[in-house]
Amino acid sequence: MRVAVGSRRQRLLRKGLWFRLRKILLCVLGLYVAIPFLIKLCPGIQAKLIFLNFVRVPYFIDLKKPQDQGLNHTCNYYLQPEEDVTIGVWHTVPTVWWKDAQGKDQMWYEDTLASSRPIILYLHGNAGTRGGDHRVELYKVLSSLGYHVVTFDYRGWGDSVGTPSERGMTYDALHVFDWIKARSGDNPVYIWGHSLGTGVATNLVRRLCERETPPDALILESPFTNIREEAKSHPFSVIYRYFPGFDWFFLDPITSSGIKFANDENSISSRSVKHISCSLLILHAEDDPVVPFQLGRKLYNIAAPSRSFRDFKVQFIPFHSDLGYRHKYIYKSPELPRILREFLGKSEPGRQH
């Protein structure tokens, strides 16, 4: 009798577990199917997932105090590209001026831009702020090589005020570039974009070339071809990549939100539009899990034969997967100083591959 009762309890227990498991599976399946429809009906969700400006890492840092991040030769500014838009800017001077920079005010930092040192305008990717750990480490490397580094948070990122959009991000970058050029005289100004920042960088440089004020060189770190191809290749899209109507559900909302970041289109010249016409350096790690290496290579293959680059140097530098630089650690490469020295030292007209 006891055996029968025990056996019945076990069957009831198994039945209860199966019922709960089935309920969980149905909920997961329902959520899986509902998400594409939610994104299609609310394209703003997709825009937020691209920008990730609400993800502020590292947390609890005071962006007004770059010295807290080990940048003791950096000044924090605030600029106003448009009415109701304010962006936070960091200006790091070359390391050789570290001692001179102590206790200096914004005017001193601005005046240093007119010195004989070249300037890099750095455009960061999505998520985080200008105080992100890997970004700070890159500023330190570039500063140690003798460059001024000017970087900022786009509207809606960090302590910058405004609503994110591709147009707004590009305009912010244009405003900072013009601010630099108004103070730097004839000193070289290079533009460096990383990840999503490569889209901002090519938008910016295209506008600069169209008005015939190109930068001295463009550096793209971990670039993609366009945002649709990047979204389709992103690891987050793996579980939906073969979902029926993937493009319609996930990629079309991006386009309808006015987001293109068309690095490939910006790199191709046409008869009527002068697109990018300056030296171009592309850096990409083979083991990049966020922006696939093949997208960077594809962008180079598009840009290299373009007529707009006919008189300029175009170079692609891959970093072997064994090095472990992935998406944001190329700054660790001991070869980076040599790469920049050789490329930027020869970024004048005279195209080489």
Side-chain angles (χ1 to χ4, degrees):
M1 186 69 177
R2 289 181 179 178
V3 173
V5 171
S7 177
R8 184 181 178 188
R9 285 178 177 174
Q10 288 180 352
R11 286 198 300 272
L12 289 173
L13 181 62
R14 285 197 295 269
K15 186 176 181 180
L17 287 173
W18 168 243
F19 177 78
R20 284 194 291 270
L21 180 60
R22 186 172 60 179
K23 188 175 180 180
I24 291 172
L25 289 173
L26 287 173
C27 288
V28 171
L29 179 61
L31 184 63
Y32 177 80
V33 173
I35 285 175
F37 288 94
L38 182 63
I39 289 176
K40 185 63 180 180
L41 293 172
C42 306
I45 294 175
Q46 190 74 311
K48 287 186 178 296
L49 293 176
I50 289 172
F51 295 140
L52 290 178
N53 59 300
F54 56 89
V55 179
R56 179 169 174 165
V57 287
Y59 298 99
F60 310 119
I61 70 168
D62 186 351
L63 293 171
K64 295 182 179 67
K65 299 178 179 178
Q67 61 270 24
D68 290 350
Q69 310 308 309
L71 296 171
N72 293 323
H73 50 312
T74 299
C75 186
N76 181 69
Y77 309 150
Y78 290 98
L79 303 179
Q80 190 171 16
E82 296 178 307
E83 188 176 357
D84 299 325
V85 174
T86 303
I87 56 175
V89 181
W90 280 0
H91 172 197
T92 301
V93 297
T95 302
V96 293
W97 295 342
W98 179 85
K99 288 185 178 179
D100 295 335
Q102 302 311 300
K104 296 299 192 299
D105 60 10
Q106 179 175 335
M107 189 61 67
W108 181 87
Y109 276 85
E110 290 188 28
D111 288 344
T112 63
L113 291 171
S115 67
S116 59
R117 300 282 180 166
I119 302 149
I120 291 178
L121 171 57
Y122 178 78
L123 306 172
H124 68 66
N126 68 353
T129 68
R130 62 190 183 277
D133 292 342
H134 65 283
R135 294 162 187 164
V136 168
E137 293 306 313
L138 177 62
Y139 311 155
K140 292 177 180 177
V141 170
L142 297 177
S143 173
S144 70
L145 297 176
Y147 298 101
H148 290 271
V149 181
V150 178
T151 187
F152 66 96
D153 281 319
Y154 316 106
R155 61 187 71 188
W157 270 259
D159 57 353
S160 296
V161 178
T163 302
S165 68
E166 181 175 356
R167 186 208 68 83
M169 295 164 71
T170 302
Y171 191 81
D172 293 344
L174 179 62
H175 182 80
V176 176
F177 179 86
D178 286 342
W179 180 87
I180 292 170
K181 290 297 290 183
R183 292 157 177 79
S184 60
D186 295 329
N187 292 331
V189 179
Y190 310 120
I191 294 173
W192 183 312
H194 173 245
S195 193
L196 188 66
T198 64
V200 181
T202 62
N203 282 348
L204 168 62
V205 176
R206 176 173 175 170
R207 290 189 63 172
L208 294 176
C209 291
E210 287 174 348
R211 74 179 194 185
E212 299 185 350
T213 58
D216 292 273
L218 171 62
I219 301 168
L220 302 179
E221 178 189 357
S222 306
F224 47 85
T225 47
N226 58 71
I227 200 64
R228 286 180 69 100
E229 286 197 349
E230 161 55 14
K232 198 167 189 175
S233 304
H234 198 280
F236 288 162
S237 72
V238 170
I239 61 172
Y240 283 107
R241 200 164 293 162
Y242 303 104
F243 190 87
F246 175 85
D247 287 15
W248 187 77
F249 278 112
F250 292 97
L251 303 185
D252 290 352
I254 297 175
T255 305
S256 66
S257 296
I259 303 173
K260 293 178 63 178
F261 290 115
N263 289 334
D264 47 1
E265 290 182 14
N266 287 334
S267 300
I268 303 173
S269 66
S270 66
R271 292 181 180 180
S272 58
V273 179
K274 182 179 182 182
H275 290 190
I276 293 178
S277 53
C278 67
S279 295
L280 172 64
L281 172 64
I282 297 177
L283 309 171
H284 214 137
E286 293 178 354
D287 58 339
D288 189 330
V290 178
V291 180
F293 176 78
Q294 62 265 25
L295 291 187
R297 172 66 77 175
K298 183 178 179 180
L299 181 63
Y300 169 76
N301 291 335
I302 291 170
S306 173
R307 287 180 300 144
S308 61
F309 289 108
R310 182 174 53 223
D311 298 321
F312 298 93
K313 186 175 184 180
V314 181
Q315 191 172 359
F316 181 85
I317 304 291
F319 294 86
H320 197 276
S321 56
D322 289 347
L323 298 170
Y325 295 152
R326 297 173 66 79
H327 182 60
K328 56 185 181 182
Y329 300 113
I330 287 177
Y331 72 83
K332 293 183 177 181
S333 172
E335 295 298 312
L336 187 59
R338 177 190 59 79
I339 292 168
L340 295 178
R341 183 172 62 251
E342 293 180 357
F343 179 79
L344 297 178
K346 300 177 181 179
S347 60
E348 69 279 357
R351 179 179 163 208
Q352 302 174 27
H353 299 299

